[in-house]
Structures are given as C-alpha cells and as structure tokens.
Amino acid sequence: MGALGAGIAALGAGLGIGLIGSKATESIARQPEAAADIRSAMILTAAFVEGAALFAIIVGLLDKLL
C-alpha cells in the first residue's frame, strides 16, 4: 500500500508542477513586463510542491518497509 501512495504522490506532483508551468506561461504571455516576478514565483512554488511530494514519497516507501 505504501508504494501505491508514493506513486500517487509522484503523479500529483507532476500534475501540479505542470499546471504551475502552464499558468505561469499564460500569465507571462498576458503581461510580459511581469515575467521576472512570475518566473521567480513559479520556481519557488514548484520547489515547494517538489519538496512536499518527496516527503510523501519517502513516507509512503517507509510505510512499506516498516
């Protein structure tokens, strides 16, 4: 069951980061002068999502081992 949870966490992170990139690209296309601010917010948010996903994957795999 832990491996299933880890897989779902990885899938969720992939979808989340994809949506972040999509919306950031759309925002930059609408307002090019704010590209630097949007890009830095996108990178920071993607890092938070990746960190949460990594934590969830580790917890899921540890659940399988313990």
Side-chain angles (χ1 to χ4, degrees):
M1 198 58 141
L4 180 64
I8 291 172
L11 181 67
L15 289 173
I17 292 174
L19 284 173
I20 291 168
S22 168
K23 296 301 180 180
T25 303
E26 184 178 318
S27 298
I28 291 171
R30 290 178 185 263
Q31 200 169 14
E33 63 273 4
D37 293 335
I38 295 169
R39 188 177 303 118
S40 62
M42 177 191 69
I43 291 171
L44 184 64
T45 306
F48 285 146
V49 170
E50 193 70 29
L54 183 61
F55 180 73
I57 289 169
I58 290 172
V59 168
L61 293 177
L62 283 177
D63 181 49
K64 181 74 174 173
L65 293 175
L66 302 175

